Amino acid sequence: MSQNLASRPPESPGTSFTGREWGILLVLCGAIFLEGIDVAMLNIALPSIRADLGLSTGSLQWVMSAYVLGYGGFMLLGGRAADLFGRRQMFVLWLSVFLLFSGLGGLATEGWMLIAARFVTGVAAAFMTPAGLSVITTGFAEGPRRNKALLFYSGTAAGGFSVGLVVGGLLTSVGWRWVFFAPVVLSAVILFAALAVVPKSPRPERTERRVDVAGGVTITVAIVLLVLGVERATHTAFAWTALTVGAGLVLLAVFVAVERRAAAPLLRLGLLRCGPLVRANLSGLLFAAGFFGFQFVVVLYLQELRDWSTLQTSFAMLVLGVDAVLSPVLTPRLVSRFGNQRVIFGGLLLAASAYALFLPLGADWTYAMMIPSLIAVGVAFSLAYGPLTIVATEGVAEEEQGVAGGLLYTSFQFGAALGLSAVTAVNVAATASSSPSDLLDGYRAALWVPVAAVLLAALISAFGLRTTKGSVPVAAGVPHEDRTATGVVA
């Protein structure tokens, strides 16, 4: 066994990684870093894109919404594709698509071109991300080795978003098109490395690779409609939102009916009888809602009320990146000592405290007054995000790891859309005018949304504190119809 390349807690020799395992992990971490940095950089570049392409506010919103729809809508299908057609194969293929359409986005001369490119880029990420996660969950033995790999992976994901805020500001100052061209370079490096070090995964026999077309179509359209309804809720009439969400819920019911009858379902419904997995997904959805909602309110406060520049705001938010360091260093120690569920619960309570510290927000707060909350949010992310990923995939049979990862990332993405929509709606409703005092009232009201979201997540997570390990496995190798009889699912 080779010596680890990063600081780590004391552990048994069996948890050390070989040089090849480090290579595989670094490639996959590079991909999730790429996904995080891409989203963060685009957020920073939106005003410059609007000015150059002459986009209306509605069109500019679609630049972000198109990616969210592609990413959230196709994630579950992408996870299942990794299970059916090979994890490495899907990872490499869709990383190539990501590279191509990121470059096309940078070449766009019309708004519709950029929106189309962002949609396909989101779809590519939806197939690439669960494939990469399932390479880890199937390639590292369940237990301390996999936990260590997933915590390193989650720290890199967080670091990508934090670094992207600053890098996006720097690149936008040169030209917004570099926000799209830079990921092309990084994607190419990761692609060549993946071809060299990530092993091909065995695929099921052709007779076992039946594709659940009906299930794939209904769940994808259902999630797209639900995400679209939530994402656009504050920009359209209530009737349109209700119709869109209602149609999504109807299709979701149709999907359940289809899956009950399917010989080879896209999502085996028995998987949803696993209590830890369901709790992890619900907690992850609410945690993402609070995390992204809080960031959105803070950015509005700094730029609208305090008149901070984009670059100043980016550097101010960089402190959230403390999770990139703590996830692989501190969190494994805590998980080893207290178990995943207790660490998740502690992270959620810390997040609630951090958001609550921001509630008495003042018009003239210094950055020093904001630092405690921002650092606490970063620490909370390091405590919750990685362990949630572990619990959501722990004990799941190898042939379902892709769909389990897709389900988790769908929860994260839908939660982010829900949080952003909710804080926007509350902020708009509580802001009587554009005066500084009224703007401040709106921000304070909106901050209650992340507080409520993570408190609800903590309540859901508390039901898992009865277990010491934080997860009840879904027995691998047990026939689907017999799994509930083994006592391993809640």
Side-chain angles (χ1 to χ4, degrees), residues 288-303:
F291 182 75
F292 285 97
F294 174 76
Q295 287 191 79
F296 183 69
V297 175
V298 173
V299 169
L300 286 180
Y301 166 73
L302 293 177
Q303 294 191 351

Side-chain angles (χ1 to χ4, degrees), residues 5-63:
L5 301 180
S7 300
R8 58 183 174 85
E11 56 194 359
S12 63
T15 60
S16 299
F17 296 154
T18 65
R20 182 170 182 79
E21 287 175 328
W22 270 115
I24 294 170
L25 185 58
L26 290 174
V27 167
L28 299 174
C29 285
I32 198 67
F33 179 87
L34 170 69
E35 192 273 330
I37 200 173
D38 176 81
V39 173
M41 289 194 302
L42 181 60
N43 283 337
I44 297 297
L46 285 176
S48 297
I49 292 172
R50 175 180 12 207
D52 190 34
L53 297 184
L55 301 181
S56 65
T57 300
S59 297
L60 190 68
Q61 174 70 22
W62 272 108
V63 173

Side-chain angles (χ1 to χ4, degrees), residues 118-190:
R118 290 306 294 171
F119 177 76
V120 179
T121 304
V123 173
F127 280 81
M128 176 182 74
T129 303
L133 177 62
S134 63
V135 170
I136 295 177
T137 55
T138 58
F140 292 84
E142 187 170 300
R145 287 173 58 78
R146 183 190 292 179
N147 292 353
K148 176 182 171 183
L150 287 175
L151 291 171
F152 194 89
Y153 182 77
S154 64
T156 308
F161 190 85
S162 300
V163 171
L165 292 173
V166 176
V167 173
L170 295 173
L171 290 176
T172 302
S173 65
V174 177
W176 66 264
R177 296 182 186 277
W178 282 103
V179 166
F180 296 93
F181 294 148
V184 170
V185 178
L186 182 56
S187 299
V189 172
I190 297 169

